[in-house]
C-alpha cells in the first residue's frame, strides 16, 4: 500500500516525512524503521493490516491513568520501530527484521474491539508512527463506531504526522527514556536528539489532546536527578502542572547488561522531587501495590482513584470532580 506523507526526489529516491528521521530512501531500500520501502520511486508501507501483536489491556497499562479509568483498550502493534533501544521490552516485534503479523484489517480491529466491550483502541507495544497508515484508517473507523484512539509513542514524529492524525487521536502517552537526556538518546536509543519529542508534545498540546508522560528511569543513565528535574520543569512550564507524570521502574531486558532494576528508594525520591516542582499527579509505575500508584485530590488530599498494578480498585469521582470536596480533577471520563 502506498505510504502517506512522503515526497519524491530525483533519481527515484523518496523522502519519508512521517517521523523525525526524515529518511531519504533509494529505490529498493527501506527506512530506519525497516517497514517502509521505496518500490520504484513510490514509498510503500509493508505492515498495513498486519498485526504482530494484539490484546485487550486495561487502559492503565498504557499507562493512561486520567483517561476513562477502569476501561479496556483493544491494543495493536505491527513489527518495526524507529528507535533502537538496547533495553527494549518489546524487542521481539520492535526489532524484528522480517515482515510478520496476522491479517487484521482496520474494520476487523474495530469490530473485535466492540465485541470485546473495549472503549478504545490503543496503538502501542512498538512505535505507532511507523504503522501510521494502519493506525490512521483504524482510528477513523473507530471514531465512526464511537471508540476512542490512543497512541503510546516515543514522540519522535513530525508535525505533519500529528496534523494528519489529530482529528482521530484522543490521547497519547509519550514515553521518555533516561529523562530525555540527549546523550542517553544518542547512546542507548540510537537517535540523534530528543528535541523532536518536545516539539511533538507542544503540537499535541495545541491540538487539545489528552497527554500523559512516562519517564523510564534506568539505573545507568548518568546524572539522573539533574536530567529528571529538567524534564519535570519543562513539563510544568509547557504542558501544565496537571499533566499526569509516570516514573517507571526499569527491569533488565533485551541486550541490556548491567545493574538490575531501578531501586525503589530512588523512584520515591524522584516522586517527591516532581511534587516539589509542582506536578499535581505523579505516579510510580512497575511497582504494584505502592501507594504512589493512586490518585489523590490535589485540593483535599483524599483518595479519588485507587489502583493496584493496572487494576482500578476504587473510584471516588463525580464526573471529573473529586467526590469528597468537588474540586475539578484533570481526568476524562
Ligand atoms: S517512519 Fe520509517 S522511513 Fe519514515 S522517516 Fe521514520 S524511520 Fe524513516
Amino acid at each position: 500500500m502506498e505510504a502517506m506523507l512522503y515526497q519524491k526526489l530525483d533519481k527515484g529516491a523518496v523522502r519519508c516525512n512521517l517521523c523525525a528521521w526524515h529518511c531519504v530512501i533509494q529505490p529498493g531500500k527501506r527506512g530506519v524503521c525497516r517497514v517502509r520501502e521505496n518500490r520504484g520511486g513510490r514509498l510503500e508501507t509493508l505492515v498495513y493490516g498486519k498485526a504482530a501483536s494484539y490484546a485487550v489491556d486495561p487502559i492503565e497499562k498504557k499507562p493512561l491513568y486520567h483517561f476513562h479509568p477502569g476501561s479496556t483498550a483493544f491494543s495493536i502493534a505491527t513489527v518495526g520501530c524507529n528507535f533502537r533501544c538496547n533495553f527494549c521490552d518489546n524487542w521481539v516485534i520492535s526489532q524484528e527484521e522480517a515482515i510478520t503479523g496476522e491479517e487484521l484489517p482496520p474494520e476487523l480491529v474495530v469490530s473485535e474491539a466492540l465485541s470485546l466491550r473495549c472503549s478504545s483502541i490503543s496503538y502501542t507495544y512498538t512505535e505507532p508512527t511507523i504503522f501510521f497508515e494502519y493506525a490512521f484508517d483504524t482510528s477513523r473507523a473507530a471514531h465512526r463506531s464511537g471508540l476512542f484512539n490512543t497512541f503510546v509513542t516515543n514522540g519522535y514524529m513530525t508535525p505533519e504526522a500529528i496534523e494528519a492524525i489529530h482529528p482521530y487521536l484522543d490521547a497519547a502517552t509519550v514515553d521518555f527514556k533516561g529523562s530525555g537526556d540527549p546523550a542517553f538518546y544518542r547512546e542507548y536509543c540510537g537517535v540523534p536528539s530528543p528535541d523532536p519529542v518536545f516539539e511533538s508534545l507542544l503540537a499535541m498540546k495545541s491540538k487539545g489532546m489528552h497527554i500523559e508522560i512516562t519517564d523510564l528511569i534506568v539505573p545507568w543513565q548518568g546524572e539522573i536527578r539533574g536530567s529528571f528535574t529538567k524534564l519535570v520543569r519543562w513539563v510544568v512550564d509547557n504542558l501544565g502542572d496537571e499533566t499526569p507524570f509516570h516514573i517507571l521502574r526499569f527491569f533488565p531486558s533485551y541486550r541490556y547488561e548491567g545493574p538490575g532494576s531501578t531501586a525503589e528508594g530512588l523512584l520515591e525520591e524522584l516522586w517527591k522531587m516532581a511534587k516539589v516542582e509542582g506536578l499535581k499527579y505523579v505516579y510510580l509505575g512497575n511497582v504494584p501495590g505502592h501507594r504512589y500508584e493512586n490518585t489523590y485530590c490535589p485540593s483535599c488530599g483524599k483518595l479519588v482513584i485507587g489502583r493496584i498494578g493496572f487494576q482500578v480498585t476504587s473510584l471516588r469521582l463525580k464526573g471529573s470532580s473529586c467526590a469528597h470536596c468537588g474540586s475539578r480533577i484533570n481526568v476524562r471520563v
Side-chain angles (χ1 to χ4, degrees), residues 67 143 147-150 166-172 208-210 332:
F67 188 82
H143 260 200
L147 294 165
F148 300 110
N149 295 297
T150 79
H166 92 265
Y168 314 107
L169 194 57
D170 303 286
M209 226 178 267
H210 175 81
R332 298 198 189 184

Side-chain angles (χ1 to χ4, degrees), residues 60-61 63 65 213-217 245-251 262-264 267-268 271 282-290 292-294 309-310:
E60 284 72 21
K61 190 176 177 181
Y65 278 14
I213 303 289
T214 72
D215 184 13
L216 181 69
I217 306 297
F245 192 102
H246 305 257
I247 302 166
L248 302 186
R249 185 179 204 180
F250 168 87
F251 286 100
T262 324
E264 206 170 306
L267 299 170
E268 288 168 345
W271 186 95
V282 186
Y283 302 103
L284 295 192
N286 304 331
V287 193
H290 199 290
Y292 292 163
E293 287 185 314
N294 299 326
F310 304 132

Side-chain angles (χ1 to χ4, degrees), residues 16-23 25 31-34 36 82 129-130:
C16 178
N17 294 320
L18 197 49
C19 91
W21 279 107
H22 287 287
C23 296
I25 310 171
V32 168
C33 58
R34 305 189 185 107
R36 296 167 82 75
N82 54 356
T129 310
I130 60 97

Side-chain angles (χ1 to χ4, degrees), residues 39-273:
R39 291 186 172 165
R42 177 181 138 122
L43 188 63
E44 300 266 337
T45 168
L46 308 179
V47 289
Y48 187 91
K50 287 191 171 63
S53 184
Y54 59 91
V56 173
D57 290 333
I59 195 115
E60 284 72 21
K61 190 176 177 181
K62 302 301 124 193
L64 284 169
Y65 278 14
H66 288 232
F67 188 82
H68 300 275
S71 67
T72 49
F74 191 83
S75 305
I76 58 169
T78 71
V79 294
C81 190
N82 54 356
F83 274 28
R84 293 282 179 274
C85 306
N86 69 351
F87 48 85
C88 181
D89 232 7
N90 289 316
W91 63 273
V92 173
I93 53 173
S94 73
Q95 305 306 318
E96 172 64 62
E97 301 271 348
I99 303 297
T100 56
E102 190 177 315
E103 291 296 331
L104 198 65
E107 306 70 39
L108 199 52
V109 174
V110 172
S111 63
E112 284 290 296
L114 290 170
S115 70
L116 292 164
R117 299 177 183 276
C118 297
S119 305
S120 59
I121 296 176
S122 181
Y123 309 85
T124 179
Y125 306 139
T126 55
E127 174 50 40
T129 310
I130 60 97
F131 58 89
F132 193 80
E133 295 77 6
Y134 184 26
F136 184 83
D137 284 356
T138 306
S139 298
R140 285 203 300 185
H143 260 200
R144 284 197 294 271
S145 298
L147 294 165
F148 300 110
N149 295 297
T150 79
F151 265 25
V152 181
T153 174
N154 58 33
Y156 203 67
M157 313 162 77
T158 59
E160 298 97 297
I162 294 169
E163 186 61 36
I165 195 85
H166 92 265
Y168 314 107
L169 194 57
D170 303 286
T173 306
V174 177
D175 296 329
F176 283 92
K177 300 116 186 6
S179 306
D181 173 46
F184 187 88
Y185 271 61
R186 278 194 299 275
E187 196 165 344
Y188 298 107
C189 303
V191 291
S193 162
D195 289 351
V197 182
F198 294 100
E199 286 158 25
S200 294
L201 278 165
L202 294 175
M204 288 175 182
K205 173 83 176 168
S206 75
K207 302 294 185 197
M209 226 178 267
H210 175 81
I211 300 168
E212 303 200 15
I213 303 289
T214 72
D215 184 13
L216 181 69
I217 306 297
V218 288
W220 78 98
Q221 73 183 58
E223 211 290 279
I224 293 175
R225 292 163 188 80
S227 313
F228 179 80
T229 304
K230 200 171 160 195
L231 175 61
V232 168
R233 284 186 186 155
W234 187 92
V235 170
V236 171
D237 292 345
N238 293 279
L239 306 178
D241 59 7
E242 296 192 334
T243 308
F245 192 102
H246 305 257
I247 302 166
L248 302 186
R249 185 179 204 180
F250 168 87
F251 286 100
S253 187
Y254 193 32
R255 292 178 173 155
Y256 169 77
E257 289 173 4
S261 55
T262 324
E264 206 170 306
L266 172 61
L267 299 170
E268 288 168 345
E269 183 189 339
L270 297 176
W271 186 95
K272 286 172 190 151
M273 286 167 61

